[in-house]
Amino acid sequence: MSAQVRLRDVGPADLEEFFAQEHDPEAVRRSNFPPRERGAFMAHWTTRVLGDPTVFVQAVTVGGELAGNVVAWWDEGRRFIGYWLGRRYWGRGVGTRALALFLEREEARPLHADPFAGNTGSVRLLEKHGFRRTGTVRYGDHEHIMLVLD
């Protein structure tokens, strides 16, 4: 499976699939990330992601099919990384390969990530790629693990 994983630039046509993935109930539960309504989602992606030259985002494809995305952005002077894969690509090595490919292209270090503490798969994926735990952070009532890749 992982040999078929590729990265490419994100196009406007990809946003509908990303929107659907963000609204998957199991993905919402695991990520502890509330889905945005369509207008807010599209505005975020067109202005704050695709419209910001400091953001590096890549679409993840598997055998040519859109599987998700990986993105790096600046927040308060720190470079963060995040990713989202459609549920049918979970547990198949897609995240492992996509993150490896992305980290070859994203040169900024250190890189930070702050997955929801209950999303153990995401925490393990980041640690597999050399991210180390540096503490926790709370967003409202929810604990997130802060990780860094030097």
Side-chain angles (χ1 to χ4, degrees):
M1 168 59 62
S2 63
Q4 300 175 347
V5 176
R6 302 280 185 266
L7 299 181
R8 64 164 171 77
D9 291 339
V10 172
D14 298 330
L15 301 185
E16 286 299 327
E17 180 63 23
F18 295 164
F19 178 75
Q21 290 171 351
E22 186 173 289
H23 281 258
D24 178 282
E26 182 60 15
V28 169
R29 185 188 71 74
R30 287 187 186 200
S31 67
N32 194 42
F33 186 85
R36 292 169 274 221
E37 60 90 14
R38 178 176 297 284
F41 177 91
M42 294 301 175
H44 172 81
W45 268 89
T46 57
T47 60
R48 297 194 59 197
V49 180
L50 298 176
D52 183 341
T54 69
V55 171
F56 178 51
V57 61
Q58 295 282 275
V60 177
T61 64
V62 177
E65 293 183 25
L66 183 62
N69 64 78
V70 186
V71 61
W73 70 96
W74 290 100
D75 186 18
E76 297 182 9
R78 295 185 297 177
R79 188 78 166 164
F80 276 83
I81 188 171
Y83 42 84
W84 201 283
L85 294 174
R87 189 190 321 191
R88 71 186 193 128
Y89 300 100
W90 297 354
R92 297 171 54 188
V94 174
T96 298
R97 182 69 180 139
L99 190 53
L101 291 169
F102 189 85
L103 291 173
E104 290 174 3
R105 297 178 186 184
E106 171 58 47
E107 297 177 353
R109 300 292 187 273
L111 272 177
H112 300 269
D114 58 352
F116 173 54
N119 191 346
T120 57
S122 187
V123 173
R124 279 194 314 266
L125 175 62
L126 290 159
E127 289 176 329
K128 182 187 292 189
H129 287 284
F131 283 78
R132 61 180 171 76
R133 294 178 191 222
T134 60
T136 59
V137 62
R138 295 195 74 77
Y139 298 114
D141 295 335
H142 306 284
E143 182 178 75
H144 290 246
I145 307 294
M146 185 60 72
L147 298 113
V148 66
L149 176 66
D150 294 311

